[in-house]
């Protein structure tokens, strides 16, 4: 395959930019019509045919249940109809990343992005000539040829593992991946090519084992490209619909007054950053948690003073009695040796209004999310009907455990049951209710600590 590019400038195809132009649809062959019927039987309804592009809408979810209002649109070129039709029988979307996998997990294809760059990943990939050892495997690899001015070279690579158990390839996106993961709303210039990492296992095991192996290989090549070559490419997490949203006032006329809240600069900066970190849920959660950390010494000290005063005001307190004095000392020592989790429990107990906290946790989304069947593993559930622990203690324990899952990445048996919560993972993309809980706790704490 040959590709001519003078300067890699973006040029939109008229058919992509103007889908309503009067262009006669390409006549389909019998085999292509049969492919359309196969695609429809797989859960996609044809909604358009413009020139040599067919558009489909999803009518069933992955479980095979009908979708009342399908919102995802899919496009396929006439030339790819048969490849897509056959691919739908053997491929499915990757659970965690924008990509596809065969139903046995022995083949995984990942879409790529080039962070911090105005250009798409395809442009970054095509600017390089890749030098690699020719593999001895049986896979067919047709690298794309790039012509720029007087220079001509091939882009992409195909690598075989030393053990021969797997291959990894950087090449043009497959027809089935283009159909399932690029969807219909993503317009590309007529001369633009998407590239994907393809991991092919020659010694496959179970589906879960295959997916894990493919992930390790993809992580390894991405790391070495960055560390050794300074080439940064990332996998793209699947897009997840936000389960909860902050309440936004719909009134056009807003009442505003001079601010009465006194905030330390550190707290204001953290609160602002959390709102900006929408694309990185773990960062957003940690920013709100850091606000709680900021106030922990204050609330713990306040609690200690309250306990000390209580001992001194006790009618049985006697300054000449060692036992009475020791009770005061114990109250002070308890505050000094307080763990972070215990300090957080005090903060939630003393700063957060219980009725408001229960109201927050009673929403339909929150009830499911914070239950034992919720999407976040390795953290305590919150049960409003529990009698052995208060709501404040349950909330503090969950928030602290979640904080540990985000910040701890240690090869330590202590954390074997609760591994680190990784960015771009399914769990990370499901953090919204926990983020809003941390935000709620931060707001309640700020309110309670105002002088």
């Amino acid at each position: 395959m040959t590709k001519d590019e003078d300067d890699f400038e973006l040029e939109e195809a008229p058919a992509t930019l103007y889908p309503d132009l009067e262009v006669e649809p390409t006549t389909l062959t019998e085999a292509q019509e049969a492919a359309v019927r196969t695609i429809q039987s797989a859960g996609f309804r044809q909604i358009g045919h413009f020139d040599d592009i067919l558009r489909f809408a999803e009518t069933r979810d992955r479980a095979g249940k009908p979708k009342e209002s399908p919102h995802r649109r899919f496009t396929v070129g006439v030339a790819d109809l048969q490849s897509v039709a056959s691919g739908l029988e053997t491929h499915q979307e990757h659970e965690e990343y924008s990509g596809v996998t065969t139903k046995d997990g022995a083949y995984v294809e990942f879409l790529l992005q080039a962070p911090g760059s105005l250009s798409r990943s395809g442009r970054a990939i095509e600017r390089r000539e890749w030098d690699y050892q020719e593999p001895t495997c049986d896979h067919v690899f047709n690298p794309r040829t790039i012509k720029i001015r007087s220079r001509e070279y091939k882009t992409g690579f195909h690598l075989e593992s030393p053990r021969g158990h797997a291959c990894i390839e950087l090449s043009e996106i497959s027809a089935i991946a283009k159909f399932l993961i690029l969807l219909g709303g993503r317009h590309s210039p007529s001369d633009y090519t998407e590239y994907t990492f393809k991991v092919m296992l020659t010694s496959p095991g179970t589906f879960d084992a295959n997916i894990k192996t493919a992930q390790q290989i993809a992580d390894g090549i991405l790391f070495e490209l960055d560390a050794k070559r300074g080439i940064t490419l990332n996998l793209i997490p699947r897009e997840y619909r936000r389960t909860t949203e902050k309440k936004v006032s719909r009134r056009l006329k807003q009442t505003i007054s001079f601010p009465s809240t006194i905030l330390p600069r550190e707290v204001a900066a953290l609160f602002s950053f959390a709102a900006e970190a929408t694309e990185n849920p773990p960062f957003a959660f940690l920013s709100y948690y850091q606000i709680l950390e900021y106030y922990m010494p204050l609330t713990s000290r306040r609690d200690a003073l309250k306990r000390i005063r209580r001992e001194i005001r006790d009618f049985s307190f006697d300054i000449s009695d060692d036992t009475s004095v020791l009770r005061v000392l114990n109250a002070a020592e308890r505050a000094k040796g307080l763990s972070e989790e215990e300090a957080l429990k005090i903060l939630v107990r003393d700063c957060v209004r219980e009725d408001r906290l229960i109201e927050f946790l009673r929403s339909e989304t929150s009830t499911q999310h914070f239950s034992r069947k919720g999407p976040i593993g390795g953290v305590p559930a919150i049960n409003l009907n529990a009698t052995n622990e208060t709501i404040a203690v349950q909330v503090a324990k969950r928030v602290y455990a979640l904080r540990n899952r985000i910040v701890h990445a240690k090869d330590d048996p202590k954390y074997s049951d609760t591994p680190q919560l990784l960015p771009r993972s399914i769990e990370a993309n499901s953090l919204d209710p926990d983020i809003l809980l941390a935000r709620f706790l931060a707001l309640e704490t700020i309110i309670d600590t105002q002088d």
Side-chain angles (χ1 to χ4, degrees):
M1 294 180 284
T2 302
K3 181 174 182 179
D4 295 301
E5 295 199 58
D6 292 332
D7 55 8
F8 287 95
E9 290 181 357
L10 303 181
E11 295 179 3
E12 294 286 359
T16 304
L17 286 174
Y18 307 106
D20 296 326
L21 289 177
E22 293 295 332
V23 178
E24 289 294 325
T26 303
T27 302
L28 303 182
T29 65
E30 289 186 7
Q32 289 167 341
E33 290 178 347
V36 171
R37 291 192 293 271
T38 301
I39 293 172
Q40 290 175 324
S41 66
F44 302 89
R45 174 171 55 87
Q46 185 179 341
I47 58 174
H49 184 175
F50 173 78
D51 194 14
D52 61 348
I53 299 294
L54 279 74
R55 292 176 64 83
F56 293 84
E58 199 173 30
T59 58
R60 296 201 302 265
D61 61 21
R62 293 188 63 176
K65 297 180 180 179
K67 286 193 171 184
E68 297 180 0
S69 56
H71 63 282
R72 298 208 300 171
R73 300 290 186 266
F74 302 78
T75 60
V76 57
V78 169
D80 290 333
L81 277 170
Q82 289 163 277
S83 294
V84 170
S86 60
L88 286 173
E89 297 177 1
T90 55
H91 292 71
Q92 62 189 24
E93 286 186 75
H94 195 282
E95 288 282 355
E96 195 164 348
Y97 292 98
S98 184
V100 297
T101 175
T102 51
K103 294 181 179 178
D104 63 357
Y107 171 90
V108 183
E109 184 171 352
F110 296 102
L111 194 62
L112 301 169
Q113 66 180 0
S117 172
L118 296 177
S119 62
R120 307 263 288 276
S121 62
R123 303 291 187 189
I125 291 167
E126 288 182 345
R127 285 192 174 95
R128 294 175 170 85
E129 183 177 1
W130 304 83
D131 184 26
Y132 58 96
Q133 184 177 349
E134 292 291 332
T136 60
C137 62
D138 296 329
H139 296 120
V140 177
F141 175 51
N142 294 315
R144 181 174 282 274
T145 300
I146 305 297
K147 291 182 178 180
I148 302 178
R149 298 181 181 89
S150 60
R151 184 180 173 217
E152 180 176 318
Y153 59 92
K154 296 183 184 298
T155 191
F157 55 76
H158 188 103
L159 305 173
E160 184 180 11
S161 71
R163 293 191 290 129
H165 75 297
C167 288
I168 185 167
E169 180 177 299
L170 176 63
S171 59
E172 183 178 354
I173 189 171
S174 68
I176 184 62
K178 187 186 299 184
F179 178 77
L180 285 177
I181 63 180
L182 289 190
L183 308 181
R186 186 171 183 175
H187 301 313
S188 297
S190 59
D191 63 350
Y192 180 78
T193 302
E194 286 280 5
Y195 290 81
T196 52
F197 271 143
K198 301 168 182 68
V199 181
M200 294 151 276
L201 305 182
T202 55
S203 302
T206 64
F207 177 83
D208 290 341
N210 292 341
I211 292 296
K212 182 178 180 180
T213 300
Q215 185 68 56
Q216 289 175 337
I217 293 172
D219 289 342
I221 190 68
L222 288 169
F223 172 78
E224 293 202 359
L225 281 175
D226 191 351
K228 293 182 178 181
R229 310 296 176 210
I231 300 170
T232 305
L233 295 171
N234 288 338
L235 306 183
I236 305 173
R238 280 189 63 181
E239 294 183 1
Y240 289 85
R241 180 177 62 86
R242 292 298 189 186
T243 55
T244 57
E245 297 290 345
K246 290 183 289 186
K247 292 183 179 180
V248 178
S249 174
R250 301 295 180 184
R251 292 182 298 175
L252 295 179
K253 186 177 181 180
Q254 299 291 325
T255 302
I256 192 73
S257 59
F258 195 85
S260 59
T261 306
I262 306 299
L263 277 182
R265 186 178 181 185
E266 297 89 340
V267 172
L270 289 167
F271 200 86
S272 177
F273 180 77
E276 296 172 12
T278 54
E279 298 304 316
N280 194 325
F283 268 21
F285 176 87
L286 285 180
S287 293
Y288 288 127
Y289 184 88
Q290 284 181 292
I291 294 174
L292 302 179
E293 276 187 317
Y294 181 89
Y295 285 109
M296 282 180 197
L298 170 63
T299 54
S300 298
R301 185 167 61 249
R302 195 170 63 178
D303 177 70
L305 290 173
K306 182 174 66 175
R307 291 176 180 275
I308 292 170
R309 287 191 178 101
R310 183 182 299 154
E311 293 296 339
I312 294 173
R313 289 169 180 165
D314 191 301
F315 295 122
S316 63
F317 178 77
D318 183 353
I319 191 65
S320 61
D321 181 30
D322 290 347
T323 302
S324 294
V325 175
L326 282 174
R327 281 202 300 265
V328 175
L329 289 175
N330 287 337
E333 286 295 326
R334 182 179 181 277
K336 185 177 179 180
L338 211 58
S339 68
E340 186 170 328
E341 183 178 9
E342 290 301 316
L344 181 59
K345 290 177 183 178
I346 291 171
L347 181 146
V348 177
R349 182 197 68 197
D350 291 350
C351 299
V352 181
R353 291 167 288 182
E354 186 177 39
D355 59 333
R356 294 294 301 276
L357 181 56
I358 292 174
E359 180 184 349
F360 175 91
L361 295 169
R362 271 186 176 155
S363 70
E364 183 178 348
T365 302
S366 295
T367 300
Q368 175 64 29
H369 179 88
F370 295 115
S371 70
R372 295 185 183 278
K373 297 181 180 179
I376 312 298
V379 296
I382 298 175
N383 182 4
L384 294 177
N385 299 317
T387 56
N388 59 325
E389 288 182 323
T390 65
I391 300 299
V393 168
Q394 293 183 65
V395 167
K397 289 173 68 174
R398 180 185 179 91
V399 169
Y400 183 70
L402 184 52
R403 172 261 185 197
N404 286 346
R405 283 208 57 199
I406 293 173
V407 302
H408 287 159
K410 299 178 181 178
D411 186 13
D412 188 326
K414 178 181 177 182
Y415 300 102
S416 60
D417 295 332
T418 55
Q420 186 185 27
L421 193 150
L422 298 174
R424 300 195 186 100
S425 64
I426 293 177
E427 286 186 310
N429 283 298
S430 303
L431 276 177
D432 272 14
D434 281 290
I435 293 171
L436 291 184
L437 174 59
R439 181 179 186 271
F440 170 78
L441 298 179
L443 287 173
E444 286 285 293
T445 303
I446 292 170
I447 294 169
D448 187 72
T449 52
Q450 292 297 298
D451 292 331

